[in-house]
Amino acid sequence: MNRKQIAAANWKMNLKWAQAESLLNDLFKQPIHFSPNQQVALGVPFPYLSMALSYAKNHSHVEVAAQNSAQYASGAYTGETSAEMLQSMGVHYVILGHSERREYFGETNAVLAEKVKLALQNGLAPIFCCGESLTIRESGTQNEYVANQLKESLFDLSEFDFKKIVIAYEPIWAIGTGKTATAEQAQEMHAYLRSAIAAQYGEEVANSISILYGGSVKGANAKEIFGQPDVDGGLVGGASLKADEFLQVIAGLK
Ligand code: 13P
């Protein structure tokens, strides 16, 4: 498998400083064995980016991700963090469009298109999240809904830029609920998204894009989900806060 296979942690707004330090210590106390195409991304809160970067720099195959970046380039936007700042400190990825940001902070597909553009202009690789609510899933329109999120936020990008994107499919009904999508449900959506990408950018680009699954991934189910042909790893919330669980998730990468 040439596509990058990624175990991405999303710590969300969790852990105090000392807890973050001890989690990173526990994660890295034994060497992790990676295949050439495998990678870990540590999506930590802004105050812990430097801490995570100091671990990542001693470990190949480990990158750091911010959990958000501003829709404006720079200037008088109190409390915001720009893509340029993140890039200048050595951050590689930025998670954009998480359903929690869409729901609680009003991020729309149009705002996300701006954030994605700025991230790319500043050399960051977006991990772009998409996914449907339970209501949409029950109405059977999830494929069109999620494809439209990609269309409205990503499909104006040039092929050159689009190839830098990582997609994370996170059905909202599976986030933090313990209710994982089945491996078949994940595969079905991932294959559909890959076909939507192929229709826009061609097969070769579609086959090169990593599509991660997120939603109640843990040590015990990672291998089965990641084993699906169109699932290229996961974006992991709760289980990324425990070293042994997250190490098991990493071990589930194909
Ligand atoms: P959980 O793994 O806690 O379900 O969260 C998933 C998620 O939102 C990752 O971004």
Side-chain angles (χ1 to χ4, degrees):
M1 174 63 61
N2 317 324
R3 273 196 301 272
K4 211 180 281 171
Q5 304 293 304
I6 306 170
N10 179 6
W11 289 5
K12 309 192 180 183
M13 195 173 74
N14 289 297
L15 305 178
K16 292 190 279 188
W17 180 271
Q19 294 171 316
E21 230 169 15
S22 93
L23 175 52
L24 290 169
N25 274 330
D26 289 347
L27 272 179
F28 293 113
K29 71 181 172 214
Q30 307 277 3
I32 305 173
H33 297 288
F34 290 104
S35 304
N37 64 325
Q38 294 175 341
Q39 195 178 63
V40 162
L42 300 169
V44 306
F46 289 125
Y48 308 153
L49 285 170
S50 291
M51 188 201 293
L53 283 162
S54 72
Y55 283 83
K57 78 168 189 285
N58 297 321
H59 293 86
S60 52
H61 300 266
V62 178
E63 297 287 356
V64 172
Q67 296 177 13
N68 185 26
S69 58
Q71 74 189 96
Y72 306 108
S74 68
Y77 300 103
T78 302
E80 288 292 295
T81 300
S82 69
E84 183 180 48
M85 292 173 191
L86 297 171
Q87 193 277 337
S88 72
M89 65 191 293
V91 171
H92 182 81
Y93 287 113
V94 59
I95 299 170
L96 290 174
H98 194 282
S99 58
E100 289 149 16
R101 296 221 49 94
R102 293 174 187 264
E103 186 177 355
Y104 308 137
F105 302 96
E107 294 190 2
T108 60
N109 291 342
V111 163
L112 290 167
E114 295 303 314
K115 291 191 175 202
V116 165
K117 253 183 251 155
L118 271 171
L120 289 164
Q121 277 166 17
N122 286 286
L124 296 174
I127 298 177
F128 181 82
C129 304
C130 55
E132 80 287 358
S133 65
L134 186 58
T135 318
I136 291 169
R137 166 78 42 179
E138 283 172 348
S139 74
T141 56
Q142 68 274 10
N143 287 359
E144 297 74 16
Y145 181 86
V146 179
N148 190 55
Q149 290 179 317
L150 302 196
K151 176 171 172 272
E152 293 192 357
S153 298
L154 303 181
F155 284 180
D156 279 345
L157 295 173
S158 67
E159 175 182 323
F160 180 80
D161 277 342
F162 186 81
K163 280 159 97 172
K164 296 174 188 149
I165 304 271
V166 171
I167 290 174
Y169 167 60
E170 300 204 306
I172 297 169
W173 46 272
I175 296 178
T177 57
K179 194 177 166 197
T180 324
T182 62
E184 293 71 31
Q185 283 172 321
Q187 167 57 24
E188 193 186 345
M189 177 61 85
H190 285 222
Y192 180 78
L193 293 179
R194 209 177 291 289
S195 72
I197 295 167
Q200 185 71 16
Y201 292 100
E203 291 284 339
E204 198 187 323
V205 174
N207 285 328
S208 73
I209 297 286
S210 300
I211 308 181
L212 317 185
Y213 167 79
S216 299
V217 173
K218 53 184 192 244
N221 60 23
K223 201 174 177 64
E224 190 196 353
I225 298 171
F226 299 171
Q228 300 300 309
D230 285 293
V231 180
D232 304 309
L235 181 56
V236 186
S240 74
L241 299 172
K242 296 181 205 120
D244 49 350
E245 275 288 329
F246 192 57
L247 287 168
Q248 238 183 299
V249 169
I250 297 170
L253 289 172
K254 64 177 172 272

